[in-house]
Amino acid sequence: MRTLLPFLIISALPAAAQDCSFDTECFEAEACQPTSFALSVDLAGEKLVTDFGDLQIVAAKTTPPLTTLFATGDGAEYLLSRSGDTARFTAHANEGPAVISYLGTCKGEF
């Protein structure tokens, strides 16, 4: 796995806008439910912008066609994976542990 430190992310991925929207939420082994959740990728600022706060991007990995961003925030670690327009976003809570997965799409380019 090729991991990049935060100060290398910008040089590894061109700075471009990317907006993601998720319409399915899955909590642990429970049945998935409809949802409405969105985030924006701010590579220049090294963060994922969400309604619940900004998450710091700590690493990126690109193995075409898949791009994965790793982020951290208060009480959890996050993973955003994108291949084409298809996206997955997971929150790995430190308490529990517990995982919430979101299924959706991203538009724009890295």
Side-chain angles (χ1 to χ4, degrees):
M1 176 167 112
R2 184 175 143 193
T3 302
L4 305 174
L5 298 175
F7 59 88
L8 295 177
I9 291 173
I10 296 167
S11 64
L13 300 170
Q18 184 165 151
D19 294 312
C20 303
S21 60
F22 302 92
D23 56 12
T24 304
E25 176 184 80
C26 309
F27 179 76
E28 291 288 320
E30 296 176 11
C32 296
Q33 300 291 324
T35 193
S36 179
F37 172 67
L39 64 83
S40 295
V41 178
D42 176 2
L43 288 177
E46 298 180 2
K47 62 187 173 183
L48 301 178
V49 179
T50 73
D51 288 342
F52 61 87
D54 294 348
L55 308 172
Q56 178 186 1
I57 297 173
V58 295
K61 176 184 173 189
T62 300
T63 305
L66 182 67
T67 296
T68 305
L69 299 177
F70 303 86
T72 189
D74 188 30
E77 305 302 321
Y78 302 88
L79 177 77
L80 173 63
S81 297
R82 178 182 179 186
S83 179
D85 287 345
T86 303
R88 301 292 182 262
F89 180 73
T90 57
H92 302 258
N94 295 338
E95 292 184 25
V99 174
I100 303 171
S101 298
Y102 295 91
L103 313 174
T105 60
C106 291
K107 302 293 182 192
E109 297 300 326
F110 277 135

